[in-house]
Amino acid sequence: MTQSNYVVDPMISAKSIAARVEVLACEITEHFTGTDKLIVVGLLRGSFVFIADLVRELDLPVEVDFLETSSYGNSLESSREVRILKDIRGEIEGRDVLVVEDIVDTGHTLNHVLHLLKSRNPNRLEVCALLDKPSRREVDITATWIGFEIPDEFVVGYGIDYAQLNRNLDHIGKVRFV
Ligand code: IMP
Ligand code: MG
């Protein structure tokens, strides 16, 4: 069900996000130092702003690819059934791969994507998620790097949508129905 009357209350500022992205990029660069190429796989569409900022801070040879899974539609709840709508273009066998996700919520999306990518035998497969809602987890899965841990709130901005809107906010806010 879609409710249309809501406001977005600020939660994480653009400045805080930028500072955190810089730290994450340093840690990721250090982890993959010496790689001949890091394939950064962004999960569409929510990660598009995060991945754009993150890759520009990585001091590594980087290839960018995208994968799209079925989404929430206009709902606030995960469907738990994950389908691949668009697969990556490149080969990842023997490669170093970093999956970039906007939010880990129930964990079903990431679980499905990691199983799929693992079956293609990458050399290393790690995950960087901007946001983590651990209290919502239904599948035992954790990202290697997490930007911010947040409570069980529905959030938007910095690439993340509610019914396809609010992706263009420069900060993260929480949706409050009025
Ligand atoms: P999961 O499969 O339940 O972990 O859901 C992960 C996906 O659900 C994320 O990639 C987001 O696209 C979406 N999602 C989870 N929480 C939120 C939220 O608070 N706002 C917007 N999208 C969300
Ligand atoms: Mg998503």
Side-chain angles (χ1 to χ4, degrees):
M1 258 251 291
T2 306
Q3 288 173 271
S4 50
N5 294 326
Y6 65 92
V7 293
V8 177
D9 297 325
M11 189 179 193
I12 307 170
S13 70
K15 216 173 150 184
S16 308
I17 297 169
R20 188 69 187 123
V21 167
E22 209 176 302
V23 172
L24 291 170
C26 273
E27 291 179 15
I28 293 166
T29 296
E30 199 174 316
H31 182 87
F32 287 106
T33 295
T35 185
D36 54 340
K37 180 167 79 176
L38 177 66
I39 303 179
V40 181
V41 176
L43 302 195
L44 292 172
R45 287 173 248 176
S47 73
F48 82 104
V49 176
F50 181 40
I51 197 176
D53 283 346
L54 189 70
V55 294
R56 284 180 290 174
E57 301 278 346
L58 293 178
D59 190 12
L60 298 166
V62 159
E63 181 176 311
V64 175
D65 210 329
F66 291 99
L67 189 149
E68 184 172 14
T69 58
S70 50
S71 76
Y72 280 25
N74 287 349
S75 150
L76 294 170
E77 274 294 314
S78 168
S79 64
R80 293 179 181 82
E81 200 185 281
V82 183
R83 284 176 304 123
I84 303 293
L85 300 181
K86 182 217 170 290
D87 203 344
I88 53 173
R89 294 280 294 274
E91 301 283 334
I92 59 165
E93 184 165 355
R95 295 290 181 186
D96 290 329
V97 178
L98 177 72
V99 173
V100 175
E101 171 65 310
D102 54 355
I103 309 179
V104 189
D105 189 34
T106 63
H108 288 286
T109 304
L110 200 53
N111 191 39
H112 187 92
V113 167
L114 290 179
H115 268 106
L116 174 75
L117 297 181
K118 248 178 226 161
S119 72
R120 297 174 183 170
N121 301 313
N123 179 37
R124 285 185 282 185
L125 179 61
E126 309 289 351
V127 178
C128 180
L130 177 66
L131 303 175
D132 186 17
K133 295 189 207 172
S135 66
R136 299 253 315 155
R137 201 72 92 254
E138 293 175 7
V139 182
D140 183 23
I141 204 156
T142 40
T144 326
W145 294 279
I146 288 157
F148 302 90
E149 210 176 276
I150 60 166
D152 182 9
E153 302 275 2
F154 197 85
V155 296
V156 293
Y158 197 68
I160 301 163
D161 74 303
Y162 172 45
Q164 297 306 327
L165 295 176
N166 304 290
R167 292 191 197 275
N168 56 323
L169 288 180
D170 68 353
H171 62 282
I172 306 272
K174 51 184 169 187
V175 169
R176 179 165 51 89
F177 293 100
V178 289

